[in-house]
Amino acid sequence: MATLKEFEESLREHGMHMALALLERLRDRDRATRTIKPARRLTGQKMTPDLARAILELHASTGMTQQEIAFKVGVNQGRVNEVIKRGKWLDDDPHAPEAVARDKAKARMRADPQPKRPVTQRSSGKASAKRGKAAVSARRPSPQGQLVFGDV
């Protein structure tokens, strides 16, 4: 299937200037009616005990799904599930597992990345050579690819 650009080039090659003009007019009309739509993805709001209580209230009082609640409140759907199913984020306890995990993640983000250790080559000493031979000899040969001829 040809692309629009290829189609336009073909029209030029064949000297079809009226068709090119019509195509340009259609493009201008499309540009005039085109609008800029806001992004569909929303930035997540910070989970607080008040927000968790609002999620529970919406869940109890309306027939909204978790996805609808998440969109209305402005948080990730997984957070809504955590609040409804496990009661997370309902207290302001800084020692709660989710608060501890959040703080550790923030600390990791602030800290400099750990320098990677250089990969060292293993020594080719006698011990490693013996282990290699023992491991190879202990393996049984694979029957794959071997033909077995029987009495025919």
Side-chain angles (χ1 to χ4, degrees):
M1 178 152 236
T3 63
L4 186 59
K5 193 171 201 165
E6 291 172 340
F7 179 65
E8 196 173 344
E9 288 171 4
S10 179
L11 288 176
R12 277 199 188 90
E13 288 174 6
H14 288 82
M16 303 181 97
H17 300 291
M18 292 297 290
L20 285 168
L22 181 61
L23 189 60
E24 189 60 35
R25 238 190 313 165
L26 289 172
R27 279 192 182 135
D28 290 340
R29 188 183 71 187
D30 181 50
R31 284 187 201 116
T33 59
R34 194 178 301 164
T35 60
I36 298 173
K37 294 182 180 177
R40 291 183 61 193
R41 186 175 175 97
L42 300 173
T43 56
Q45 215 175 335
K46 183 180 176 188
M47 280 301 296
T48 61
D50 295 333
L51 194 57
R53 282 189 278 281
I55 289 170
L56 283 178
E57 184 181 324
L58 281 172
H59 179 69
S61 63
T62 65
M64 296 171 75
T65 64
Q66 289 182 5
Q67 187 175 12
E68 293 168 332
I69 293 171
F71 186 75
K72 183 174 180 88
V73 177
V75 296
N76 185 323
Q77 184 180 349
R79 295 284 178 247
V80 173
N81 188 312
E82 287 176 347
V83 169
I84 293 171
K85 301 283 186 200
R86 296 183 183 85
K88 286 188 171 185
W89 305 104
L90 288 174
D91 55 357
D92 241 343
D93 182 18
H95 301 294
E98 59 272 10
V100 170
R102 179 195 61 217
D103 294 340
K104 282 183 182 177
K106 283 183 177 180
R108 276 195 310 267
M109 288 173 57
R110 280 191 300 258
D112 291 331
Q114 297 282 335
K116 301 218 178 201
R117 289 189 284 167
V119 179
T120 58
Q121 293 181 355
R122 291 186 176 174
S123 64
S124 59
K126 292 181 182 178
S128 63
K130 285 181 183 176
R131 271 185 278 149
K133 287 180 184 175
V136 171
S137 65
R139 287 192 215 140
R140 293 178 35 169
S142 170
Q144 183 179 3
Q146 296 178 0
L147 295 175
V148 178
F149 295 100
D151 294 330
V152 179

